[in-house]
Amino acid sequence: MPTDTTMIDTPAFETTAPPEAPTHAAWGAVFSMSLGVFALVTAEFLPASLLTPLARGLQVSEGIAGQAVTATAFVALLTSLFISTLARGMDRRVVLMGLSVLLIASNLIVAAAPGVVTLLFGRVLMGIALGGFWSLSVAMVMRLVPAAMIPRALSIMFMGVSAATVFAVPVGSYLGAIIGWRGVFLAAAVLGVLALIVQAATLPALPARGNARAGMLIEVLTRPGIGIGMAAVLLVFAGHFTFFTYIRPFLETVTGVGIDGVTAILFGFGIANFAGTYLVAYAIRWSLRATLTMLPLIMGGLAVLLVTFGGVTVLDAALIAVWGLFFAGVPVSWSTWITRAIPDQAEAGGSLIVAAINIAIATGAGLGGVLLESTGPRGVFLASGLILIAAAALVTARVRIGPAT
């Protein structure tokens, strides 16, 4: 069986040596980051699950209230590009805890919002917290555990995303009916306070490292192999979000299920996604290149199967659950790629990945919307499959993999 220690892909790959890694794992700190992820992603998803009562409460249309999601994504993109420069010289422990404070403030402001302007301001703070955290998280994990444990630590951190995927939307909707949408955002603020307390108790001092000068992102992007890698990231996430953004129209019109069926199938997706986040570390240990290649290839194949045979509820539910299982490995494996490709500038690499993902979300959603109107849900899923297969081909042909440390 190949391993990344015996199969070093593209021997000509060169990179600067990483900073000295710790000799002992700070698992408590890693858990605090996972809890922070759970609080962040839960708050990110809440407007989607509470959109109707939120719009009614602020006396605006759902379309206007939905701009809270747009504002968060746009600010997260900008923050991801500039956070390392703006926080230059600051202890990363302090920065991360400051972002948690912004998360808490965001939820409190939204909970008390008298109108849509205040709502948008609160969600702007949310975007700063979200973009800042994701940009710095991979580099922080590299400093919390020995190099050999990085894939496992990343898996633990991303379990926070999977847990939020499983619980945020259904629990948010359920609680909204009981305590109102403002009460749900207050509960999200309490979750943020819990994350902040755990971070204060477990995160060690992490003095700033690397050169965060203006222009570093461009310098990193022009390193050999990095631009191609980011293009592959964009394709993989665009393929996924072309699929996932329009999964409900597919389930309602092709599979023929109602809202209860949609909820059950998405819950199965979330459970499988949670399991996949744990399992992917073993695949990365076997071969990072094979993992980066096979994940989009399998997902692309699943999209084609859904286009060809979709319409049977049990089959569609199973295929979508398998999609969730394999997609869980995508952010973990590409974050691991960053730790090997540019270990000396992992913060810059994290910023570039966050930017690529946000562009992919907009691209995938936009392309899917056009195709949904012109070709229907099957056309959307077929396009998703083709994009993912193209991503797998690009990884195989062009993406360079640095050696396991």
Side-chain angles (χ1 to χ4, degrees):
M1 293 176 65
T3 66
D4 283 320
T5 57
T6 60
M7 181 184 71
I8 304 303
D9 304 289
T10 314
F13 184 83
E14 297 179 358
T15 186
T16 306
E20 184 179 352
T23 57
H24 300 286
W27 290 116
V30 174
F31 172 77
S32 78
M33 294 186 67
S34 182
L35 183 59
V37 168
F38 179 66
L40 277 165
V41 177
T42 295
E44 181 186 12
F45 286 170
L46 283 182
S49 62
L50 299 168
L51 191 61
T52 299
L54 188 152
R56 189 181 302 120
L58 297 180
Q59 298 182 333
V60 295
S61 69
E62 292 184 4
I64 292 176
Q67 296 308 309
V69 177
T70 304
T72 301
F74 180 71
V75 174
L77 172 61
L78 292 179
T79 303
S80 70
L81 296 175
F82 299 108
I83 184 68
S84 292
T85 301
L86 294 175
R88 180 172 48 199
M90 294 181 63
D91 189 311
R92 275 12 188 184
R93 177 181 187 271
V94 175
V95 175
L96 184 66
M97 292 176 63
L99 294 172
S100 294
V101 171
L102 287 182
L103 166 65
I104 297 166
S106 167
N107 287 319
L108 291 175
I109 289 170
V110 172
V116 70
V117 174
T118 308
L119 169 71
L120 292 176
F121 175 69
R123 296 304 290 181
V124 163
L125 296 183
M126 176 69 208
I128 296 172
L130 198 66
F133 180 91
W134 285 124
S135 298
L136 303 176
S137 59
V138 173
M140 290 184 65
V141 167
M142 290 176 67
R143 300 174 64 182
L144 294 174
V145 300
M149 298 180 181
I150 288 175
R152 171 61 59 217
L154 289 171
S155 295
I156 291 172
M157 185 180 72
F158 278 102
M159 281 183 180
V161 178
S162 299
T165 302
V166 174
F167 295 110
V169 174
V171 172
S173 298
Y174 176 76
L175 289 178
I178 298 174
I179 62 176
W181 65 271
R182 296 183 188 274
V184 176
F185 277 100
L186 285 174
V190 173
L191 183 59
V193 170
L194 176 61
L196 178 62
I197 292 171
V198 176
Q199 289 163 5
T202 60
L203 282 174
L206 297 169
R209 284 179 178 175
N211 189 344
R213 68 181 184 277
M216 177 53 69
L217 292 182
I218 296 175
E219 179 181 322
V220 170
L221 189 60
T222 55
R223 290 186 184 184
I226 302 303
I228 290 294
M230 292 302 165
V233 170
L234 197 154
L235 283 176
V236 173
F237 280 92
H240 169 72
F241 283 103
T242 300
F243 163 88
F244 195 71
T245 304
Y246 300 98
I247 191 170
R248 180 166 176 171
F250 182 93
L251 292 174
E252 290 177 336
T253 61
V254 177
T255 307
V257 297
I259 185 60
D260 290 340
V262 171
T263 301
I265 290 172
L266 291 180
F267 186 74
F269 173 95
I271 293 295
N273 188 262
F274 188 85
T277 307
Y278 176 80
L279 295 173
V280 70
Y282 296 100
I284 292 171
R285 186 182 304 170
W286 175 63
S287 171
L288 179 57
R289 175 177 290 282
T291 303
L292 290 173
T293 302
M294 293 306 297
L295 291 178
L297 187 62
I298 292 170
M299 290 161 61
L302 291 169
V304 173
L305 287 174
L306 283 163
V307 170
T308 306
F309 301 107
V312 180
T313 302
V314 174
L315 176 63
D316 291 358
L319 292 175
I320 289 171
V322 175
W323 184 295
L325 179 73
F326 283 95
F327 175 70
V330 171
V332 179
S333 56
W334 280 106
S335 295
T336 303
W337 173 77
I338 282 291
T339 69
R340 299 186 186 182
I342 42 175
D344 62 311
Q345 289 294 340
E347 286 189 6
S351 296
L352 290 171
I353 279 191
V354 173
I357 291 173
N358 278 280
I359 294 171
I361 291 172
T363 303
L367 174 63
V370 172
L371 291 174
L372 184 66
E373 295 295 324
S374 58
T375 65
R378 291 183 189 271
V380 175
F381 278 29
L382 179 59
S384 168
L386 294 176
I387 293 170
L388 288 162
I389 292 169
L394 181 60
V395 172
T396 301
R398 299 291 304 278
V399 172
R400 299 178 173 189
I401 311 295
T405 306

